[in-house]
Amino acid sequence: MTEHREKLSRRAEELRDERALATVRLKDVAAELWRDGLENVRELGRLTGLSRTTLYSALRVRGIEPTDRSK
């Protein structure tokens, strides 16, 4: 593998890791927004760029049941 390709491969790995961390942070922000009263998955998706499916899963992992409207 050329030196240039090795550098590009390392950079790709760094960016992949940054993206994964950013996604976790966006999920955390979505949960905080929900707890702060923004209980609309569609709006959370618009704000975070996360899909509705991802948001439902992320909220549940963080102890929030987004379909529970019994409040």
Side-chain angles (χ1 to χ4, degrees), residues 2-3 11-14 17-18 20-21 27 29-30 36 39-40 45 52-54 56 58-59 61 67 69-70:
T2 67
E3 183 177 333
R11 183 63 182 142
E13 289 174 6
E14 290 169 3
D17 293 344
E18 289 173 19
L21 181 56
K27 291 174 182 178
V29 167
D36 196 47
E39 296 181 357
N40 183 306
R52 288 175 55 197
T53 303
T54 298
Y56 278 107
L59 291 171
V61 164
T67 60
R69 300 294 183 194
S70 63

Side-chain angles (χ1 to χ4, degrees), residues 5-6 8 12-13 16-17 20 22-24 27 29-30 33 35 38 42 47 52 54 58-61 66 69-70:
R5 187 179 296 174
E6 288 177 18
L8 289 173
E13 289 174 6
R16 183 195 62 219
D17 293 344
T23 300
V24 169
K27 291 174 182 178
V29 167
L33 285 166
R35 289 184 183 110
L38 179 58
R42 185 181 205 180
L47 291 170
R52 288 175 55 197
T54 298
L59 291 171
R60 287 181 176 123
V61 164
R69 300 294 183 194
S70 63

Side-chain angles (χ1 to χ4, degrees), residues 9 63-64:
S9 294
I64 299 167

